[in-house]
Amino acid sequence: MNIYDIAKRSGFSIATVSRVLNGSPNVSPKTRGKILDVIRREDYTPNVFARGLGLNTMRMVGILCTDVSDTYYAKAVSLVENCLRQKGFDALLCCTGSGVDRKKKYLDVLLAKRVDAVLLIGSAFQEDTDNSHIASAAQQVPVMIINGLVELPNTYCVLCDEGTAAYENISLLCDMGCRRILYLYDVLTYSGCVKIEGYKKALTDWKITPDPLLMLRVPKSIEGAKAAVEKLLSNAVEFDAVMASEDLLAVGALKALTAREMRVPVIGFNNSVIAEACTPSLTSVDNRLETLCPTAVDLLVRLLSGEEIPKKVMVPAQLVERDTLHIAT
Amino acid sequence: MNIYDIAKRSGFSIATVSRVLNGSPNVSPKTRGKILDVIRREDYTPNVFARGLGLNTMRMVGILCTDVSDTYYAKAVSLVENCLRQKGFDALLCCTGSGVDRKKKYLDVLLAKRVDAVLLIGSAFQEDTDNSHIASAAQQVPVMIINGLVELPNTYCVLCDEGTAAYENISLLCDMGCRRILYLYDVLTYSGCVKIEGYKKALTDWKITPDPLLMLRVPKSIEGAKAAVEKLLSNAVEFDAVMASEDLLAVGALKALTAREMRVPVIGFNNSVIAEACTPSLTSVDNRLETLCPTAVDLLVRLLSGEEIPKKVMVPAQLVERDTLHIAT
DNA sequence: TTGAAAGCGGTACCAT
DNA sequence: ATGGTACCGCTTTCAA
């Protein structure tokens, strides 16, 4: 069943059927009615490939993230997909893992599918050495980055001010009397660097000399973080608070502390389910995906319809206080 | 840049270029080399819409799930997407939420996009009243269901035997001496029903009369489950073990118990990251997504290439023991 | 081994 | 308001 069949059965030309299909005003109500009747009767759906061929778009946006099984990315993908669908776009999902080569490859895969735009989730897509893959993608379609910062033509960023959040966390902890604050992180993506800078700056402002022992890089897992913190404790490295770049790491630290019946303030990042799930529940920085994602999609859609949009939108983070902040002494 | 340009620049016809593009053996090595040179030089990528129009496929599979921000679905989507991509298929993601109407609508959206197949994740897509939307989808493309059971033409299921898992959990708890086992669940999807049947059957086999008070339906959230269990405890309803249809609920129960310094065995389902994150860590049933998803994709791809595949594949579950099983008394 | 040409199913411009 | 038709870019059959 194609547009020719509908034309034949309704007694009009394919041009008129096409007009009805696309809601053109230049069709008499009677004609429209007759044609719609046939369309419904035959349960006809236009062929998107043919339409795509003509219009050179299938209204699809490619979503690239390293790993949807990560709760943080999952949440972002969920939000983004919903927003896109509301705007009549489909989401082509692509999870790359961490290798740069696969990122490049899959970026090409998406472009080959002629997506209307690419949405990068997370700063993991920004390599400080080389962003040429993003640059070349942006030559074909707009690239929108959620929580990453890449300044290139046709590339737009919507991100959360995690640097300031980190700074304020440390200030808060210092204000509470903490002086030796352990910082756990996993990777030095853009987001990772920004947080560490916030950490350092706050210490400097509080006239605390950063202790290299207290800036600890650990594997991105509860067990990895737990083991690292346990080792620290065994080595009698002292600290009176913990901040972690990721809830997962914070939970690991928490487990190590709980095992020794130690209680110090702990702050995580991402405000994921596990922050609520762990005991004591974890104070965490919410990086406002609920705001970032709709904003990113909204801007992208406006861009695609010809509007000008800002190259960069920054949103403040929000600390969600739970049990691990104010410790009963 | 299209196939005509490549033909012109290489001095051959579009037919030959097409053959090279599709790896046809009927092209002389010399010709192939020349054409490939031009293709590479011009950085040419075939137009997928035109190809789709001719072949009536763009090698895309629609993935339908209620919510990717749920860690369980996120993991499934992650696995499925990876497997599909390895087989050269793209994943069109579609999250429906819980309303049946939206499920139907989005199923139509996917079909309108001319996906090669639809992959339903989770039993939430099976309505006991009416599966006509699945039936009509299956008339157009094969439908593969992961962890759901719908027996219809052109519909295939790969699922985990959670009923037996529930049965064995209860038997295990009974064996440990428990007699009043609280069961928490949220929704009665296929998966939900199967678990509850396993629960009941085990009680029957152990000659325990099921107490309606101990089969508790709660909201799908940590807070919801916690509140419900707290209420139960306030009402002095006694129980000596807990099983929950979802880790989230188990964690809620755990929190309620911990707050009262009570410790009884707790078993969850899904073996998600929060099972590891909570303290004490949660014993949970792994429903083998790592097996189900690759199997489902593999079968689907074979089906699409003309092979016959089984209508139903069942995989045993696996209990992952953590702190909440054997309680130090 | 290679080429010519007929689809695939739409959209949109130009007439009428 | 409606119809005729060129065009989008590829695959594939048929001939040579």
Side-chain angles (χ1 to χ4, degrees):
Chain A
M1 186 63 47
N2 57 33
I3 200 171
Y4 295 92
D5 296 314
I6 302 299
K8 210 167 293 173
R9 281 171 171 64
S10 63
F12 294 91
S13 71
I14 61 162
T16 302
V17 175
S18 179
R19 284 189 195 101
V20 171
L21 249 23
N22 294 289
S24 158
N26 301 323
V27 181
S28 81
K30 285 179 195 169
T31 305
R32 182 184 309 281
K34 287 181 190 174
I35 292 179
L36 283 177
D37 281 348
V38 178
I39 287 176
R40 270 192 282 271
R41 171 152 41 86
E42 306 291 344
D43 197 24
Y44 161 70
T45 310
N47 184 309
V48 284
F49 301 149
R51 180 176 262 165
L53 181 55
L55 300 178
N56 201 30
T57 164
M58 261 180 61
R59 290 183 75 79
M60 293 195 310
V61 171
I63 300 181
L64 223 58
C65 76
T66 49
D67 179 14
V68 253
S69 71
D70 179 300
T71 53
Y72 176 67
Y73 293 125
K75 187 174 171 187
V77 168
S78 172
L79 287 164
V80 157
E81 189 270 344
N82 270 287
C83 297
L84 282 172
R85 205 161 286 289
Q86 277 174 28
K87 309 269 183 185
F89 284 84
D90 281 283
L92 210 48
L93 180 64
C94 192
C95 306
T96 62
S98 49
V100 189
D101 44 340
R102 286 214 351 181
K103 290 177 197 166
K104 292 189 187 187
K105 182 182 157 195
Y106 286 145
L107 202 45
D108 283 340
V109 169
L110 286 182
L111 293 175
K113 282 288 182 196
R114 295 285 204 276
V115 292
D116 294 301
V118 171
L119 208 36
L120 304 183
I121 298 183
S123 55
F125 287 94
Q126 173 203 13
E127 319 295 329
D128 26 53
T129 50
D130 173 28
N131 281 321
S132 61
H133 53 303
I134 298 183
S136 70
Q139 285 185 303
Q140 303 190 42
V141 295
V143 174
M144 172 67 75
I145 304 174
I146 292 179
N147 245 0
L149 185 62
V150 175
E151 315 206 40
L152 286 171
N154 208 21
T155 302
Y156 304 84
C157 304
V158 174
L159 37 79
C160 176
D161 190 356
E162 299 180 317
T164 301
Y167 179 91
E168 288 174 352
N169 286 346
I170 301 302
S171 300
L172 176 62
L173 292 170
C174 289
D175 215 32
M176 288 165 60
C178 304
R179 285 299 175 273
R180 291 186 56 76
I181 304 171
L182 173 63
Y183 179 56
L184 299 176
Y185 64 97
D186 53 346
V187 281
L188 287 177
T189 54
Y190 165 75
S191 165
C193 294
V194 154
K195 287 172 194 163
I196 219 164
E197 276 162 26
Y199 170 80
K200 285 182 185 166
K201 182 161 187 303
L203 290 187
T204 307
D205 288 1
W206 278 80
K207 316 225 181 295
I208 298 172
T209 314
D211 181 344
L213 286 175
L214 295 182
M215 292 177 45
L216 200 58
R217 181 165 185 164
V218 301
K220 188 177 179 179
S221 70
I222 294 176
E223 277 312 312
K226 185 183 173 194
V229 173
E230 271 169 354
K231 193 174 162 197
L232 221 57
L233 291 169
S234 311
N235 293 346
V237 176
E238 290 187 10
F239 54 88
D240 50 18
V242 181
M243 180 170 84
S245 67
E246 241 279 348
D247 286 342
L248 222 50
L249 311 186
V251 169
L254 211 52
K255 293 217 172 212
L257 291 169
T258 305
R260 294 218 176 193
E261 295 190 350
M262 278 179 64
R263 291 207 63 177
V264 302
V266 180
I267 303 181
F269 266 84
N270 290 2
N271 192 31
S272 55
V273 237
I274 68 166
E276 197 197 342
C278 62
T279 305
S281 63
L282 181 68
T283 294
S284 183
V285 174
D286 189 301
N287 31 26
R288 310 290 299 282
L289 286 177
E290 276 94 349
T291 303
L292 298 187
C293 294
T295 302
V297 170
D298 185 55
L299 289 175
L300 194 56
V301 170
R302 281 161 56 184
L303 179 69
L304 289 174
S305 59
E307 281 185 52
E308 293 246 343
I309 64 167
K311 293 278 294 176
K312 178 178 163 185
V313 173
M314 180 92 89
V315 169
Q318 192 165 35
L319 187 68
V320 178
E321 296 192 20
R322 294 201 184 80
D323 298 344
T324 61
L325 187 56
H326 296 287
I327 303 301
T329 43
Chain B
M1 187 62 47
N2 59 32
I3 200 172
Y4 294 92
D5 296 314
I6 302 298
K8 209 166 294 171
R9 281 169 170 66
S10 63
F12 293 91
S13 72
I14 61 162
T16 303
V17 175
S18 177
R19 285 190 194 99
V20 171
L21 250 22
N22 294 289
S24 158
N26 302 323
V27 181
S28 79
K30 286 178 195 169
T31 305
R32 182 185 308 281
K34 288 182 190 173
I35 292 179
L36 282 177
D37 282 348
V38 178
I39 288 177
R40 270 192 282 271
R41 171 152 41 88
E42 306 291 344
D43 198 24
Y44 162 71
T45 310
N47 184 309
V48 284
F49 301 149
R51 181 175 261 166
L53 181 55
L55 300 178
N56 201 31
T57 164
M58 261 180 58
R59 290 182 77 78
M60 293 194 311
V61 171
I63 300 182
L64 224 57
C65 76
T66 49
D67 180 14
V68 251
S69 70
D70 179 300
T71 52
Y72 175 67
Y73 293 125
K75 186 174 171 188
V77 168
S78 171
L79 288 164
V80 156
E81 190 268 344
N82 271 288
C83 297
L84 282 173
R85 205 160 287 290
Q86 277 173 29
K87 309 269 184 186
F89 284 85
D90 281 282
L92 209 49
L93 179 65
C94 192
C95 306
T96 62
S98 49
V100 188
D101 44 340
R102 287 214 350 181
K103 288 176 198 166
K104 293 189 186 188
K105 182 182 157 196
Y106 286 145
L107 203 45
D108 283 340
V109 169
L110 287 182
L111 293 175
K113 282 287 182 201
R114 295 287 205 276
V115 292
D116 294 301
V118 171
L119 207 37
L120 304 183
I121 298 183
S123 56
F125 287 94
Q126 171 203 14
E127 319 295 329
D128 26 52
T129 50
D130 173 26
N131 282 322
S132 61
H133 51 305
I134 298 182
S136 69
Q139 285 184 305
Q140 303 190 43
V141 295
V143 174
M144 172 67 75
I145 305 174
I146 292 179
N147 245 359
L149 185 63
V150 174
E151 314 207 39
L152 285 170
N154 209 20
T155 301
Y156 304 85
C157 304
V158 175
L159 38 80
C160 176
D161 190 356
E162 300 181 316
T164 300
Y167 179 91
E168 289 175 351
N169 286 346
I170 301 301
S171 299
L172 176 63
L173 292 170
C174 289
D175 215 32
M176 289 165 58
C178 304
R179 285 299 175 273
R180 290 185 56 77
I181 304 172
L182 173 62
Y183 179 58
L184 299 175
Y185 64 97
D186 53 346
V187 282
L188 287 177
T189 54
Y190 165 75
S191 164
C193 295
V194 154
K195 288 172 194 162
I196 218 163
E197 275 162 28
Y199 170 80
K200 285 181 184 167
K201 180 160 188 305
L203 290 187
T204 306
D205 288 0
W206 278 80
K207 313 221 183 301
I208 299 172
T209 314
D211 180 343
L213 286 175
L214 295 183
M215 293 178 44
L216 199 58
R217 180 167 186 163
V218 301
K220 189 180 178 176
S221 69
I222 293 176
E223 278 312 313
K226 183 181 173 196
V229 173
E230 271 168 355
K231 194 174 163 199
L232 220 57
L233 291 169
S234 311
N235 293 345
V237 176
E238 291 186 10
F239 53 89
D240 50 19
V242 181
M243 180 170 84
S245 66
E246 241 280 348
D247 286 342
L248 221 51
L249 311 185
V251 169
L254 212 51
K255 293 217 172 211
L257 292 168
T258 306
R260 295 218 177 193
E261 298 190 348
M262 279 179 65
R263 292 205 66 176
V264 301
V266 180
I267 303 181
F269 266 84
N270 289 1
N271 191 30
S272 57
V273 58
I274 68 168
E276 197 197 343
C278 63
T279 305
S281 62
L282 181 67
T283 295
S284 183
V285 174
D286 189 302
N287 30 29
R288 311 288 302 282
L289 286 177
E290 276 95 349
T291 303
L292 298 188
C293 295
T295 302
V297 170
D298 185 54
L299 289 175
L300 194 57
V301 170
R302 281 161 56 184
L303 179 69
L304 289 174
S305 59
E307 282 184 53
E308 292 246 342
I309 65 168
K311 293 278 293 176
K312 179 179 164 185
V313 173
M314 180 93 88
V315 169
Q318 191 165 35
L319 187 67
V320 177
E321 296 193 20
R322 294 201 185 81
D323 298 345
T324 62
L325 187 56
H326 295 287
I327 304 300
T329 42

